[in-house]
Amino acid sequence: MRLYDTLSRGLVELPPPPGPIRMYFCGQTVYARMHVGNAVPFVLSMWLKRWLQLSGYEVKLVINVTDINDKIYDAAPGASAKLAADATRWYVEDTNRLGLGRPDVEPTAVETVPDQIIMIEELIDRGAAYESGGDVYFRVGRFPEYGRLSRQKLDQMQEQEPNPRKEDPRDFALWKANKPGEDTSWESPWGRGRPGWHIECSAMSEKHLGTEFEIHGGGLDLVFPHHENEIAQSRSLDHMFAKTWMHNGMLRFRGEEMHKSLGNDIALRDVLDRWGRQTLLLFLLTGHWRKPLDYSDETMAAAAAQWRSFEEAWRVAAMRDSAPWDDFETALNDDFNTPKALSILHEWRAAGQTELLKRGLEVFGLLTEVSSTVGLPVGSTAPDVFVLAHKRAEARSRKDFAEADRLRQAIAELGFEVQDVQQEPGFRLIPIA
C-alpha cells in the first residue's frame, strides 16, 4: 500500500504486512464542543486502521487529547481544568456516535507532563533550547532542516509567539511560566508553569509508539507551525520520529474553511442529530482525503440519497456483472482513494452484489458498530434490522409499548434479539443462535 507523504511530496510505500504500522493523529483541543470538520482526521484514521487490519497489518493507532492549551485558558479563565474535563467528555460522546470504535490509545497532555519536562531538559542539555524568565524556548536557528515540511524559508519566517525575552523571534515555546489567573500549572526546573502545545504531541506520540513510527496525521492546518515544530524537537534529540506525514484536506462551508474563529463551524453533534452517522460517513467518502470538501445541505442531502440507495440494494437480485473485490482493494491501497472505492460500492449496489457491498460498507463502519455495546455485531446485519431497532427505540420513547413489542417480534423473525442499553443508540442486537 502507498500513501502520499507531505514531507517528501510524493507517494511512499508502506512496509509489507504484517508491518507493524504505528500511527499518531493529532486529536481534539478540548475547549468547546467539536465541530464536524474536527471529525475528519478522526474518521480518516479509524478508516485507515480498519483497512490496514483487513489487509493483514498489525496496527496501533494513537489519537491524543490536548487538554493543556492557550485556547482552554482563554475560554475559561480560572476554570480551565473543568472546561477541559467537560469538553473531553463531549468529544468522546460525539465521536462514539460515529460508530467506528475508539483508537488503541488516547493519551492526554496532562498525564504526560513529566515526559514533556524530561524532553525539554534534554533539549536544553543539547543546546537546542534555553530558559528565559521562567519560559523555555526552542532555538529554531539550530535546526537546519526547519521549514522542510511546510516549504518555508528560515530567513522569511514570521514570529510565532511574540516575546521580547526570546533570543530569536522565530523561536517557539516549550514551557510557559504560570500567569496570573491560570488555575492549573506544574512544578518544573524552571518554576511553575505548563508545557507548550508542540512538545505535548512529541512526548505523547513517542511515549506510546516509540521514537520512530510509520505515520503521523492531522489536518492540513497543522503543517505549520505545529508539525514543523514537532519534527524539530524530536529530531534535535536524534529521534527519527514519523516516517510518513498524512495531512487531510479541510472541510469547507460556503467556500471558507470551517473554523470556530470564523464562526462558520457546525457541531458534530448537530450534524449527527440531523443527518445520522451513515450519511455523514458516506459524505466524507465522496472526497479524497487530501482534498478540501464542501459541506452544505445540498451535499449532505446527496449523501443521504446515496445511503438510501445502498439500503435498497438488499432488495435487488439482478446480480449483473460488476467490479471484483480486487478493484476495491486496489483503490484503497493507492493513496486510500475513497471516491474510487465509493464508485465501486455503487457498482455492487446496482448489480445486486450484496455480499461484496456488505464487505465494502463494513470497511467504513457504515453497516455495523465496532463496539459490542452498540449497534450490530460485525458481519451479521442487514439494514432492515437496524432500521426496525431504531423504530422500536422511538416507539419506546413515546411510550407506545404495543408498537415496540410488535417491532421486537419483527426483529426476532429476522434472526436477532434486541436488548435495551444505556449507550447510544440505546439498543444492542444479538443474533439468535
Side-chain angles (χ1 to χ4, degrees), residues 159-356:
E159 187 169 13
Q160 296 179 36
E161 299 172 281
N163 191 325
R165 295 197 297 268
K166 294 196 290 187
E167 293 178 356
D168 184 325
R170 299 167 299 184
D171 295 346
F172 60 87
L174 300 172
W175 187 264
K176 299 183 178 184
N178 195 42
K179 298 178 179 62
E182 293 183 351
D183 59 312
T184 53
S185 60
W186 291 262
E187 289 291 349
S188 80
W190 321 285
R192 289 199 70 85
R194 56 188 170 93
W197 175 30
H198 316 298
I199 197 69
E200 294 173 358
C201 281
S202 281
M204 285 186 281
S205 59
E206 293 191 12
K207 179 174 183 176
H208 295 285
L209 297 176
T211 59
E212 182 176 350
F213 52 94
E214 284 68 39
I215 296 172
H216 193 315
L220 194 61
D221 57 334
L222 299 181
V223 173
F224 186 86
H226 187 46
H227 290 167
E228 193 78 72
N229 292 350
E230 284 185 61
I231 291 173
Q233 295 161 166
S234 291
R235 294 198 175 177
S236 291
L237 295 174
D238 297 327
H239 300 168
M240 172 61 188
F241 205 50
K243 297 178 182 178
T244 301
W245 290 82
M246 293 181 67
H247 289 101
N248 61 270
M250 307 300 289
L251 209 59
R252 298 188 303 197
F253 181 67
R254 295 175 181 169
E256 294 184 304
E257 288 184 5
M258 191 176 289
H259 283 292
K260 291 185 177 71
S261 60
L262 297 177
N264 65 355
D265 58 304
I266 301 171
L268 173 61
R269 173 182 57 175
D270 295 340
V271 172
L272 292 169
D273 285 346
R274 180 180 180 189
W275 296 102
R277 71 178 194 88
Q278 288 98 340
T279 294
L280 174 58
L281 293 176
L282 204 144
F283 161 70
L284 294 177
L285 275 178
T286 63
H288 192 284
W289 63 271
R290 288 193 282 117
K291 306 297 183 182
L293 189 60
D294 290 309
Y295 178 95
S296 67
D297 283 353
E298 291 76 18
T299 55
M300 290 300 288
Q306 288 194 64
W307 175 243
R308 287 194 296 272
S309 74
F310 284 125
E311 290 183 306
E312 285 296 320
W314 269 260
R315 300 176 181 86
V316 175
M319 296 300 290
R320 296 185 295 273
D321 290 339
S322 63
W325 179 260
D326 287 353
D327 288 359
F328 183 78
E329 191 174 65
T330 298
L332 293 181
N333 285 340
D334 187 12
D335 200 23
F336 209 60
N337 192 336
T338 58
K340 176 62 176 175
L342 179 58
S343 70
I344 293 171
L345 291 174
H346 277 294
E347 282 190 42
W348 293 337
R349 171 191 59 78
Q353 296 278 16
T354 55
E355 286 305 313
L356 285 173

